[in-house]
Amino acid sequence: MRKFVNNPNDFVPEMMAGVAAANPNLLEHQPEFQLIKRKDRPVAGKVSVVQGSGSGHEPAHAMAVGPGMLDGAVQGAVFAAPPVDACYECIKQLASDAGVLVLINNYQGDRMNWDMAVEMAQAEGVNVKSFIIDDDVAVKDSSYTIGRRGVAGNFFVIKACGAAADLGKSLDEVLEVAKKVNGQVRTMGVALSSCIPPVKGTPIFDIAVDEMEVGVGIHGEPGRRRDKTKPANEILDEMFEAVSGDGPFSKGDRVAVMVNGLGGTPISELYVLYNRAARRCEEAGYTIVRNYVGEYCTSLEMAGASLTLLKLDDELEKMLDAPAEVAARIF
Amino acid sequence: MSDITIGNVERAIKTTADTVLANQQYFSDLDGIAGDGDFGASLASGFRLIDADLPEIDKSSIGNMLLKISMIITKNVGGCSGPIWGTGFMRAAMLTKEKQEIGLADLEQMVGAAIEGIKARGGADLGDKTLLDSLIPIHEKLKEHAEKGSSPAVALRDAAEVAERKMEEAKALQPRRGRQSFVGERATGTPDPGMVAIACILQDWCEQFGVERTPQAKELTQRSV
């Protein structure tokens, strides 16, 4: 296994401890719950925004804790939702008088654990609400699935809700912001390789060197189809058409564009994709107001990328512009 | 009739922990075919603690013991398995808080309550290719034997048989709920890891309680992918 691990079972705890160690003034790590929280939160009058999911998607979720972003996050084992207990502690410890908003990516494990934790916290009088993010267009919503998955669009929901909370908006108002972003954001990803959860030690699916998985999930779940690899522009074109064709996008729109690496793709390749994305947006009559090229929601060392489009308006642009800082900073 | 003692229940839990721990990699490998490959490790993280704590756990009643088991699972497992297995044990515990011994009729009701809890928690039902496709027919079989006044040994043998047969039959299904539903038709033809786990556990209970039964499926005899 070409990985920097000690005991594979310690991978998540050691990673979380490292995040806190790198941000000693800002963050606190509680190993018993794999909780990363801001030391200066909760504060009176401000809604706390929290999240938690399986590990392996870094910088989501614990590394997205910081000013203007999440107030706290819990992570489970790689690709496994955190237990109810951890979710409950996350809510309880970050509960302010203004309340707590839990942002949940649409996976069954995440939903069940958070649902139980939210019920427990509500029973104790905590003002907590949750919201389900489902931006992935790859898997069609139908009676045969639990609906669309939540992927890189998660970043925009966090960013906007974090900004709204900083503005002193109420829990219901921050929840409305989450709904609005989720309604206007769409994502699809393509994988060129599998990934290896440290405890498993082997790839979670087989894919030949000349193959790609179109519409891959961030846990390696298959997407729309397996195909031969193509030139980057053709791959980007398919992602663009899937995403643009699904969302509420039309000529003249202002948009944010994200080209997100899945963990094993160099940033240079992401800019090759962005170059094409910018061209496609121009041709479609979309004005790119902000762009995001890098790793926001990954799948360990999976080679691949996703494209996200978010339709903007004055309110959302302000929220994307608002100051923020996260644990996984590069400046 | 009360012929299942708290000691029997404890032994069944100990056996379950042994099965889950011994097959951790196998269950994860099965999950890796159509899921995200964490099923075995997730379940083992809870049953490792159960195995360690079982000698000291509150055994004032069957229900109190099962409640502690459910809490260990819910608190530690996470993923999809934590809420599902934790809820199942909790619902079974609620019916036996005063009991030191149970009969087949009690066991049938415990399994029925666990099924209702799991349905409510995960939103799945019969035919969705989840562990409910094993538990629901097992429950029917237990009910049948409870009404006939069969011995627990006969009921266990038949329950193990149902678990193995349903696991085989469900391979052809396309999952609609549970972790395999993420991949839709690509999971068709593969067994559901939760259903394999149930079949393995019941087979191991048979061995532990001296019930003669020879499994046929390679999922049970080879226990490797």
Side-chain angles (χ1 to χ4, degrees), chain A residues 10 175 206 257:
Chain A
D10 296 333
L175 180 62
D206 295 320
V257 177

Side-chain angles (χ1 to χ4, degrees), chain A residues 51-321:
Chain A
Q51 187 164 68
S53 192
S55 294
H57 308 304
E58 293 72 21
H61 310 267
M63 295 180 200
V65 177
M69 294 285 283
L70 295 174
D71 296 291
V74 279
Q75 291 193 188
V78 168
F79 298 164
V84 175
D85 222 36
C87 299
Y88 169 79
E89 281 297 327
C90 182
I91 295 168
K92 283 282 281 184
Q93 293 195 28
L94 286 150
S96 73
D97 55 341
V100 181
L101 179 64
V102 181
L103 297 176
I104 305 170
N105 284 302
N106 192 25
Y107 296 98
Q108 207 154 17
D110 291 333
R111 290 183 66 158
M112 288 190 288
N113 285 282
W114 279 109
D115 283 354
M116 291 173 82
V118 166
E119 282 170 29
M120 284 161 64
Q122 282 171 340
E124 291 187 12
V126 176
N127 183 20
V128 52
K129 292 190 175 175
S130 60
F131 180 75
I132 311 286
I133 299 163
D134 57 352
D135 58 308
D136 189 345
V137 305
V139 179
K140 289 290 178 205
D141 199 355
S142 79
S143 60
Y144 299 108
T145 70
I146 58 161
R148 291 181 164 182
R149 305 173 293 216
V151 287
N154 173 47
F155 169 85
F156 292 112
V157 182
I158 296 174
K159 179 70 188 72
C161 288
D166 275 350
L167 290 171
K169 289 185 183 289
S170 71
L171 180 55
D172 284 335
E173 288 168 336
V174 180
L175 180 62
E176 284 307 313
V177 169
K179 282 183 193 164
K180 180 176 178 180
V181 176
N182 190 58
Q184 299 180 185
V185 69
R186 297 291 188 279
T187 300
M188 192 166 90
V190 169
L192 305 177
S193 78
S194 182
C195 58
I196 301 174
V199 173
K200 188 165 190 281
T202 52
I204 55 173
F205 63 95
D206 295 320
I207 183 165
V209 287
D210 62 344
E211 285 182 333
M212 63 179 176
E213 182 68 34
V214 178
V216 72
I218 53 171
H219 312 91
E221 312 96 289
R224 292 182 169 183
R225 65 170 204 284
R226 183 66 59 90
D227 204 347
K228 294 287 176 193
T229 50
K230 294 173 180 171
N233 286 355
E234 287 176 41
I235 298 173
L236 190 284
D237 284 348
E238 180 168 359
M239 289 196 276
F240 182 87
E241 279 150 27
V243 165
S244 175
D246 188 276
F249 307 104
S250 52
K251 196 170 179 205
D253 277 350
R254 290 173 296 165
V255 296
V257 177
M258 174 185 283
V259 174
N260 168 58
L262 293 181
T265 285
I267 195 161
S268 49
E269 293 175 28
L270 300 180
Y271 277 97
V272 170
L273 293 174
Y274 183 79
N275 185 44
R276 182 67 174 186
R279 164 98 178 273
R280 290 300 309 255
C281 283
E282 193 186 334
E283 287 170 3
Y286 307 158
T287 304
I288 300 175
V289 177
R290 292 187 77 97
N291 68 75
Y292 301 79
V293 183
E295 291 179 346
Y296 296 84
C297 184
T298 62
S299 190
L300 295 169
E301 74 273 55
M302 183 184 287
S306 64
L307 176 72
T308 303
L309 287 183
L310 168 65
K311 179 176 166 156
L312 296 173
D313 58 22
D314 289 346
E315 183 194 23
L316 290 185
E317 279 179 46
K318 253 182 235 152
M319 288 172 178
L320 294 187
D321 274 336

